[in-house]
Amino acid sequence: MYQVKNPSEIPMVILTTFQLGLFSYFWYTIDNIGFMYYLNIGFRVFILIYLILLIIRMIRQQKEIRITPDKLVVRGTQLEPSSIKRIKIHTVFNTRIGIQPIGKQFIPTKYYFQFKHSEDDAIKALRTWANENQVEVKEGHFLAWW
């Protein structure tokens, strides 16, 4: 059993807040009520909802991952090897792990995490499990989405 945490979302919160401020500035520069006015409102609502979801994700309680011989239990969800397309590992700044289920183009955020402690041992155990269960492990950048 390994403790996991959500990867830091602070850069995305800063970027999203900047975008919200930018659209708020454009709000006051649009003179007439037309298509651009309503498009601006739509973007502001979308960015505000996204910002709220990012903050909720940041403060959500940390969970764990359990590696058993026949399945992975990630944040309370059991994943059989037959339901996993690949495990992706991104190691540029901080090591982030993403488990991509079959049928999903992006990695769901509930399967996107960092190990809290003993990262090297946890990644080694995850690679060993994937090798034993014929699950592809790929290194590189990936996208996570709700």
Side-chain angles (χ1 to χ4, degrees), residues 107-118:
I107 294 173
T109 55
K110 64 182 173 181
Y111 303 139
Y112 171 57
F113 55 88
Q114 288 178 302
F115 289 108
K116 232 177 173 178
H117 309 288
S118 61

Side-chain angles (χ1 to χ4, degrees), residues 12-31:
M12 190 58 90
V13 168
I14 292 169
L15 179 65
T16 305
T17 304
F18 174 74
Q19 288 174 334
L20 188 60
L22 190 63
F23 279 112
S24 295
Y25 169 75
F26 288 138
W27 173 275
Y28 296 108
T29 61
I30 298 173
D31 293 333

Side-chain angles (χ1 to χ4, degrees), residues 3 5 13 20 22 25 39-40 60 70 76 84 87 90-91 95 98 102 111 127 133-134 138 145:
Q3 297 292 319
K5 63 181 181 176
V13 168
L20 188 60
L22 190 63
Y25 169 75
L39 184 64
N40 190 310
R60 192 168 62 183
D70 60 337
I84 299 173
I87 297 173
H90 185 256
T91 58
T95 302
I102 291 176
Y111 303 139
R127 283 182 185 272
N133 290 285
Q134 290 83 38
K138 186 175 180 182
W145 193 252

Side-chain angles (χ1 to χ4, degrees), residues 18-145:
F18 174 74
Q19 288 174 334
L20 188 60
L22 190 63
F23 279 112
S24 295
Y25 169 75
F26 288 138
W27 173 275
Y28 296 108
T29 61
I30 298 173
D31 293 333
N32 59 358
I33 296 179
F35 175 73
M36 291 303 292
Y37 178 81
Y38 292 109
L39 184 64
N40 190 310
I41 290 173
F43 277 129
R44 288 177 68 185
V45 168
F46 175 76
I47 290 172
L48 188 60
I49 291 170
Y50 184 67
L51 183 62
I52 291 168
L53 290 173
L54 279 175
I55 292 170
I56 288 171
R57 179 168 157 68
M58 283 177 52
I59 61 176
R60 192 168 62 183
Q61 183 181 7
Q62 311 303 332
K63 300 288 182 174
E64 62 191 22
I65 179 172
R66 280 183 285 162
I67 302 173
T68 63
D70 60 337
K71 66 185 171 213
L72 288 177
V73 180
V74 181
R75 299 177 191 226
T77 304
Q78 295 184 12
L79 293 170
E80 303 290 331
S82 61
S83 67
I84 299 173
K85 182 175 183 179
R86 71 178 58 101
I87 297 173
K88 293 187 176 182
I89 301 173
H90 185 256
T91 58
V92 173
F93 294 111
N94 298 322
T95 302
R96 289 171 272 171
I97 311 293
I99 300 174
Q100 183 178 8
I102 291 176
K104 297 285 185 180
Q105 189 69 17
F106 299 111
I107 294 173
T109 55
K110 64 182 173 181
Y111 303 139
Y112 171 57
F113 55 88
Q114 288 178 302
F115 289 108
K116 232 177 173 178
H117 309 288
S118 61
E119 182 177 284
D120 293 334
D121 295 336
I123 291 174
K124 185 177 178 182
L126 189 61
R127 283 182 185 272
T128 302
W129 180 88
N131 188 33
E132 291 171 355
N133 290 285
Q134 290 83 38
V135 175
E136 176 188 6
V137 176
K138 186 175 180 182
E139 297 213 17
H141 181 72
F142 58 87
L143 296 174
W145 193 252

